[in-house]
Amino acid sequence: MSSKSAKKKEPTSKKEVKYKPPKEFMVRPADDYSIKDLATILLHPEVIENLPLAVGSFVKITRPGSTTGVVGIVEEQDVEDLLEDRSDIIQMTTPLRKLCSVMLGERVSLLKISKQPKYAETVTVGAHNLTDSLKEALQSSLPGILDQFSLLQPGFSFPSGVTDTDGKEINVFITEINTDLLPNISALNLDGQSTPSSIAASLFHSKSTKISISDDIFSRYNPSALVDYSQIGGLQKQIELLKTSVSLPLHQPDLFTNFGITPPRGILLHGPPGTGKTMLLRAVANEENAHVLTINGPSVISKYLGETESTIRDMFREAELYQPSIIFIDEIDALAPSRNSDDAGETESRIVASLLTLMDGMGNAGRVVLVGATNRPNAIDQALRRPGRFDQEVEVGIPDVAARYDILNLQFKKMRRHEISEQDIKEIASKTHGYVGADLVALCRETVMKAIKRGLDFHNLDSLKIGLSDVENAMLDIRPSAMREIFLETPKISWTDIGGQEVVKQKLKEMVELPLIAAESFQRLGVSAPKGLLLYGPPGCSKTLTAKALASESGLNFLAVKGPEIFNKYVGESERAIREVFRKARAAAPSIIFFDEIDALSNTRDDNNNTTASNNVLTSLLNEIDGVEELKGVVILGATNRPDAIDPALLRPGRLDRHIYVPPPDAAARYQILDNSTKNFGLGGNEDERGKLLTLLSELTEGCSGAEVVLLCQESGLAAVMEDTNAEKVELRHFQKSLDDLSLNITPEMIAFYEDFAKRYSR
């Protein structure tokens, strides 16, 4: 080959690699900014050149997966000031980050905006508790301040230069911008189509733009600022603990090194879903202004060998580079399960080993803290849960009454048009057992939806206000997350629906309601609330119906357990089912566990027909009721018609404390049952005749159980319809016919047996 031909081919052998701008940019802070620079973003020179953009261009900044965002003005980064020469870094001012609701370390996308925003006709600025004199002062100072803005956007907060009566400078923010010529550029989709949005950007003109001042800063615009501690309710104890465990290692690690020890590096947040674990982390990151890296399973797991571990190592390296930083591992049980479990494979074992190595190497990493979150703490590898790795474990549990009041109070403060008093909020908090924070937020949202629907139906949206009835209607649709797996539609049965049984009703009220009403007295006197109650008696005497009424009237979390459903053919599964029932009941306390046909679970262990499985289930039941772990806020309610078949160990004091005999209904109780069951039968011409007929029927049903009396009424009504399909009333002859066909199941021997048992065991 000649040298000439070689020279001709040389240029084609070297291909220039074209630079590809990143699709997402990592957010870092922009320092030393003025009011003029609030909307400024700093980008790498190569990004500006290749997107293509220019200095002074307008871009839309959005979080991944979102179509709405804020508008920024492009400026060039000083590459020498960066910790490393990376083109995927975007520097944003703190007000712009808050407006976009992004934390340091999160990723955002950019979209070029070709049109310049128009000048605003009216800018509304809001602040709290403004007097007339303060409004006048603001009216004179704001034009000069707003004239410094290069770009106005709703939500921008800035000092006004005006002081209040206490000498503090008033912070105001832009609540609304009106212009007929302004396209809503911040609501543009990636395809350039406009979508509704509450955020718009515009320019200020000192001569043509009017300034309006509002007392109500939430009148038209509710800023989506970053979460801080003030927006979290019911978690004050956890917040104080996190302040100590996170703030000091991030900002004052020298306090620990001066004593010759390393600061705590790891914190594990655990608790049911929806209790605020992720919100706590975001609040900590925002309050500490820390760089946040989030590790979750789907984003780091790779099919290629070693790539997952490499991704995690890169995140730890980034955390060390951009200190102070927080590494957040959400659902850590999925990423680092116990290596002894059947679910853990080779990949999971390698990830756990990598995490252990990286966490051990954090001792000299500087201002870096690792935070894990899970609702299955026992599924995590035990090696992670030792001091030096996850030093502290913070439980974020199901909120109690005080915490629910705190959460609801914060939510209703955000609602402007409501008639909910403080006492109403306390009442709502007392009724929302088992609701986590996310449920309470959903309840408030559904309340607003109910109120809007009511307003649309009556065409009075202008004067519409949210009332307590809207909250009560919304509660029917919002199920508590803590009880979702075992949620039952609470039957709408009241104490008045049960004929007679006044002693049973009274004792149930004492057991369930008294420990709640007089909790302070119980604690002061050192008296323990009764743990359990056994209802026994002949079949059909309203034992199960009483439990339903208790579930409806008490308002407590109610877990119904059917004995045979507990048993499983696999070894250990039946015992695990018992443990799960009690675990959920403890988590959702105060709660009631109702064991229907409890004799199926607790047959006496002296019975030769008993199997090992049934004995193990009984042992688990005894341990859960009165074991090492104390049972607080949980009442056990059992029902059976075979009390002699129950193991005596379950009937002793400290377990099923009270034994209540539920006898067949007497004449007065039968009268009440008949009255409830024949309300629409049209009996008699007036109340006196109806009363005489019911008295006669109550005498004729001597020896019947409550279920048999109800059946009598149903059969009588059916007989009337069969005689005449257009029947409007039930006659005495229909009852007499049904009485002739009714067979009694309760025998004198049966009554004697229960009465004898009652003499020996009833308390």
Side-chain angles (χ1 to χ4, degrees):
M1 183 182 292
S2 65
S3 60
K4 186 175 181 180
S5 62
K7 287 181 180 179
K8 287 181 180 179
K9 292 182 179 181
E10 186 177 357
T12 59
S13 63
K14 294 182 180 179
K15 295 183 179 180
E16 294 184 1
V17 179
K18 186 177 180 181
Y19 173 79
K20 291 184 179 180
K23 293 182 179 180
E24 294 182 354
F25 297 84
M26 182 178 71
V27 176
R28 291 296 299 157
D31 301 321
D32 301 327
Y33 55 85
S34 61
I35 288 180
K36 179 182 178 181
D37 304 321
L38 287 186
T40 298
I41 62 168
L42 303 178
L43 295 176
H44 197 281
E46 287 186 348
V47 174
I48 296 175
E49 181 181 350
N50 290 278
L51 266 180
L53 292 170
V55 173
S57 297
F58 294 95
V59 293
K60 179 188 171 187
I61 309 163
T62 60
R63 302 178 65 180
S66 175
T67 57
T68 59
V70 299
V71 180
I73 303 173
V74 175
E75 292 291 339
E76 192 173 290
Q77 288 175 346
D78 188 349
V79 181
E80 294 181 357
D81 291 341
L82 298 177
L83 294 176
E84 58 179 348
D85 190 4
R86 291 176 55 168
S87 61
D88 65 338
I89 291 179
I90 177 174
Q91 292 176 269
M92 299 173 63
T93 63
T94 300
L96 194 63
R97 279 197 303 109
K98 288 185 177 181
L99 198 61
C100 195
S101 292
V102 293
M103 299 184 296
L104 296 179
E106 287 193 311
R107 268 58 177 176
V108 295
S109 302
L110 299 180
L111 176 67
K112 182 180 178 181
I113 297 171
S114 57
K115 294 183 180 180
Q116 175 179 305
K118 303 298 181 182
Y119 285 95
E121 292 183 355
T122 305
V123 175
T124 304
V125 177
H128 282 297
N129 304 322
L130 291 178
T131 61
D132 292 338
S133 59
L134 289 176
K135 285 183 180 180
E136 291 179 6
L138 288 174
Q139 198 73 48
S140 60
S141 67
L142 286 176
I145 297 175
L146 292 176
D147 198 31
Q148 300 177 43
F149 277 80
S150 53
L151 189 69
L152 299 178
Q153 297 187 78
F156 267 149
S157 177
F158 56 92
S160 63
V162 176
T163 57
D164 58 16
T165 54
D166 296 330
K168 296 180 180 179
E169 188 173 16
I170 298 174
N171 274 338
V172 298
F173 70 81
I174 302 169
T175 61
E176 186 183 3
I177 299 174
N178 291 328
T179 174
D180 296 333
L181 304 176
L182 172 68
N184 199 353
I185 55 178
S186 65
L188 293 178
N189 276 321
L190 297 180
D191 57 3
Q193 299 297 318
S194 179
T195 59
S197 173
S198 62
I199 301 178
S202 65
L203 305 175
F204 180 81
H205 195 285
S206 57
K207 294 184 178 179
S208 61
T209 304
K210 297 179 181 179
I211 300 175
S212 174
I213 300 176
S214 171
D215 295 35
D216 185 5
I217 62 174
F218 298 111
S219 59
R220 297 293 299 275
Y221 176 75
N222 192 357
S224 57
L226 295 174
V227 179
D228 56 28
Y229 292 142
S230 64
Q231 299 178 37
I232 299 177
L235 295 176
Q236 277 65 37
K237 183 179 178 182
Q238 289 86 345
I239 287 173
E240 292 301 321
L241 188 57
L242 284 173
K243 283 181 179 179
T244 306
S245 304
V246 176
S247 299
L248 292 178
L250 285 181
H251 298 294
Q252 295 176 296
D254 294 342
L255 292 176
F256 298 91
T257 55
N258 290 340
F259 288 95
I261 61 171
T262 57
R265 294 299 185 191
I267 297 153
L268 182 65
L269 301 176
H270 63 91
T275 50
K277 299 184 294 295
T278 305
M279 179 182 281
L280 266 179
L281 163 87
R282 296 185 71 88
V284 170
N286 296 328
E287 292 278 355
E288 308 302 333
N289 205 25
H291 187 90
V292 177
L293 295 103
T294 303
I295 301 176
N296 52 56
S299 66
V300 297
I301 297 295
S302 173
K303 62 181 179 180
Y304 297 110
L305 188 66
E307 191 166 328
T308 302
E309 298 91 306
S310 177
T311 303
I312 295 175
R313 283 196 300 271
D314 289 343
M315 288 190 170
F316 273 78
R317 188 189 65 83
E318 182 181 315
E320 292 182 23
L321 185 64
Y322 297 107
Q323 301 176 19
S325 56
I326 299 174
I327 303 172
F328 180 51
I329 307 179
D330 205 0
E331 303 300 341
I332 191 173
D333 57 285
L335 195 66
S338 174
R339 288 171 288 183
N340 296 326
S341 68
D342 296 334
D343 299 331
E346 182 184 352
T347 302
E348 288 79 6
S349 297
R350 290 202 314 269
I351 293 173
V352 172
S354 297
L355 279 174
L356 295 176
T357 304
L358 291 167
M359 291 178 74
D360 287 340
M362 287 174 61
N364 300 318
R367 298 180 295 164
V368 179
V369 172
L370 181 68
V371 182
T374 181
N375 53 9
R376 299 171 58 218
N378 295 327
I380 301 171
D381 193 89
Q382 292 300 314
L384 288 168
R385 300 180 65 184
R386 71 158 176 82
R389 288 167 184 163
F390 282 119
D391 299 270
Q392 288 189 319
E393 297 186 3
V394 180
E395 182 180 4
V396 187
I398 298 171
D400 57 13
V401 176
R404 292 196 298 272
Y405 169 77
D406 199 9
I407 296 169
L408 287 167
N409 201 25
L410 285 174
Q411 292 299 316
F412 280 108
K413 278 183 179 178
K414 296 179 183 178
M415 296 185 194
R416 297 176 298 278
R417 297 165 58 181
H418 69 78
E419 299 174 326
I420 309 294
S421 65
E422 185 176 350
Q423 187 61 38
D424 291 336
I425 298 176
K426 289 181 179 178
E427 184 179 345
I428 297 167
S430 66
K431 291 181 179 180
T432 48
H433 297 290
Y435 282 67
V436 296
D439 295 328
L440 295 173
V441 173
L443 176 65
C444 294
R445 188 186 304 114
E446 186 64 23
T447 298
V448 174
M449 296 296 293
K450 296 289 184 185
I452 292 174
K453 185 178 182 301
R454 176 167 55 83
L456 291 173
D457 292 341
F458 295 98
H459 306 287
N460 64 340
L461 283 175
D462 293 336
S463 60
L464 180 65
K465 288 191 176 182
I466 296 169
L468 185 60
S469 60
D470 297 313
V471 183
E472 292 173 346
N473 291 333
M475 285 177 64
L476 300 176
D477 297 332
I478 303 298
R479 295 183 174 186
S481 293
M483 302 288 291
R484 190 156 290 171
E485 297 175 22
I486 33 102
F487 184 82
L488 297 173
E489 285 292 340
T490 305
K492 301 302 178 186
I493 296 175
S494 64
W495 294 122
T496 56
D497 295 327
I498 301 175
Q501 311 296 0
E502 299 302 327
V503 175
V504 177
K505 295 176 188 177
Q506 185 60 35
K507 289 192 175 183
L508 283 174
K509 290 178 182 178
E510 289 175 2
M511 280 198 62
V512 176
E513 296 177 6
L514 193 61
L516 295 177
I517 297 172
E520 293 181 0
S521 298
F522 272 73
Q523 187 175 5
R524 183 174 60 253
L525 298 174
V527 179
S528 299
K531 280 189 179 178
L533 183 147
L534 177 68
L535 298 176
Y536 66 93
C541 291
S542 71
K543 298 184 295 295
T544 305
L545 191 66
T546 301
K548 292 180 180 180
L550 180 64
S552 179
E553 291 280 355
S554 66
L556 303 185
N557 296 320
F558 191 80
L559 291 80
V561 181
K562 298 174 183 176
E565 291 183 352
I566 291 292
F567 289 101
N568 194 295
K569 63 181 180 180
Y570 296 107
V571 176
E573 285 298 307
S574 302
E575 297 90 317
R576 189 181 68 84
I578 290 287
R579 290 196 302 271
E580 277 296 297
V581 168
F582 278 85
R583 182 188 64 81
K584 291 168 184 173
R586 285 189 184 95
S591 58
I592 301 169
I593 306 177
F594 174 54
F595 289 96
D596 204 2
E597 306 300 339
I598 194 173
D599 55 279
L601 291 177
S602 56
N603 280 339
T604 177
R605 285 170 285 189
D606 296 335
D607 191 347
N608 295 328
N609 296 325
N610 264 8
T611 62
T612 304
S614 61
N615 287 337
N616 290 345
V617 168
L618 175 58
T619 304
S620 297
L621 185 61
L622 296 176
N623 286 333
E624 290 294 336
I625 296 176
D626 192 26
V628 175
E629 186 177 0
E630 189 175 356
L631 197 65
K632 288 185 178 180
V634 180
V635 176
I636 314 297
L637 180 61
T640 182
N641 52 18
R642 295 182 57 211
D644 58 320
I646 299 176
D647 193 280
L650 188 63
L651 299 177
R652 73 160 176 81
R655 288 173 180 160
L656 294 182
D657 301 86
R658 308 284 180 87
H659 309 148
I660 301 179
Y661 173 43
V662 185
D666 56 16
R670 292 196 299 275
Y671 182 96
Q672 191 174 348
I673 296 171
L674 287 164
D675 189 27
N676 291 336
S677 301
T678 60
K679 287 181 179 177
N680 301 320
F681 276 21
L683 297 179
N686 53 45
E687 286 298 321
D688 290 339
E689 292 181 8
R690 172 182 166 82
K692 291 178 181 178
L693 182 57
L694 292 178
T695 302
L696 174 62
L697 290 172
S698 64
E699 294 173 355
L700 294 174
T701 52
E702 176 70 32
C704 292
S705 67
E708 289 167 346
V709 175
V710 173
L711 177 64
L712 171 68
C713 297
Q714 295 296 322
E715 290 294 326
S716 302
L718 181 61
V721 174
M722 291 178 66
E723 182 182 288
D724 181 7
T725 55
N726 297 319
E728 295 183 356
K729 60 186 300 186
V730 181
E731 304 286 349
L732 177 61
R733 65 177 183 276
H734 300 131
F735 284 97
Q736 289 173 335
K737 182 178 183 301
S738 300
L739 274 170
D740 294 338
D741 298 335
L742 188 66
S743 59
L744 301 182
N745 293 322
I746 301 177
T747 63
E749 293 78 15
M750 189 182 296
I751 298 295
F753 163 75
Y754 286 116
E755 289 179 349
D756 181 61
F757 188 89
K759 291 177 182 177
R760 288 185 288 128
Y761 284 98
S762 286
R763 282 190 291 272

